[in-house]
């Protein structure tokens, strides 16, 4: 009897994997009968089940790396748009036109949030969180950013680290807070690595 299984790596979905037929010999004494994931049964799978697990892990690492690239792109686009907004405001001021009722920073932030939300089909609040997370990774948490970029941690790990880091305040001293975040990352990121 042969069962067909689709392979995840190294084969197309059309190329089946097989489970070899078992002999009718009795299992060795002490082996539980037909236990789930019995090592004897797993040894019959070709390609080995470990290949499938490796493919799952590799795909997850690629997702984490892509998430880091997205965060870097969001941060860069935000910085570029902020520069454009300042240039627009300065040009309007030099031309003697009316000053807008909001700051260039507020206008570009609003514009960028709407763009990211529409581009990624995200609700406004989710887009705002993504933008802030991208800024935090770029400016405040270099160790977390690097671990995500290599795929060593998941985006969910990075989110938890960011959420905790956002709460780090040291007597309204930004430099002391940055040092505290660095120590926080040194302790937490290695524990989160996969």
């Amino acid at each position: 009897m042969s069962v067909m299984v689709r392979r995840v790596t190294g084969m197309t979905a059309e190329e089946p994997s097989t489970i070899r037929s078992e002999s009718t010999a009795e299992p060795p004494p002490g082996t539980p009968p037909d236990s789930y994931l019995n090592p004897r049964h797993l040894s019959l799978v070709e390609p080995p089940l470990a290949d499938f697990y490796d493919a799952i892990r590799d795909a997850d690492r690629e997702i984490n790396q892509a998430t880091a690239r997205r965060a870097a792109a969001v941060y860069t686009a935000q910085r570029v748009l902020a520069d454009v907004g300042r240039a627009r405001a300065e040009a309007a001021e030099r031309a003697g036109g009316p000053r807008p009722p909001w700051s260039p920073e507020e206008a570009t932030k609003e514009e960028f949030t709407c763009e990211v939300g529409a581009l990624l089909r995200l609700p406004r609040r989710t887009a705002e969180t993504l933008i802030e997370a991208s800024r935090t990774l770029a400016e405040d948490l270099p160790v977390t950013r690097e671990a995500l970029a290599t795929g060593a941690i998941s985006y969910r790990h990075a989110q938890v680290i960011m959420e905790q880091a956002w709460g780090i305040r040291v007597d309204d001293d930004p430099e002391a807070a940055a040092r505290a975040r660095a120590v926080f990352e040194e302790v937490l990121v290695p524990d989160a690595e996969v």
Side-chain angles (χ1 to χ4, degrees), residues 137-178:
L137 286 170
E139 295 179 0
D140 300 334
L141 300 173
V143 175
T144 304
R145 179 186 65 237
E146 183 60 28
L148 183 61
T150 63
I153 64 172
S154 70
Y155 188 64
R156 185 63 193 130
H157 285 115
Q159 285 176 310
V160 170
I161 292 168
M162 284 184 280
E163 288 165 6
Q164 296 301 313
W166 286 334
I168 296 175
R169 303 270 188 271
V170 183
D171 299 326
D172 294 324
D173 181 350
E175 290 178 13

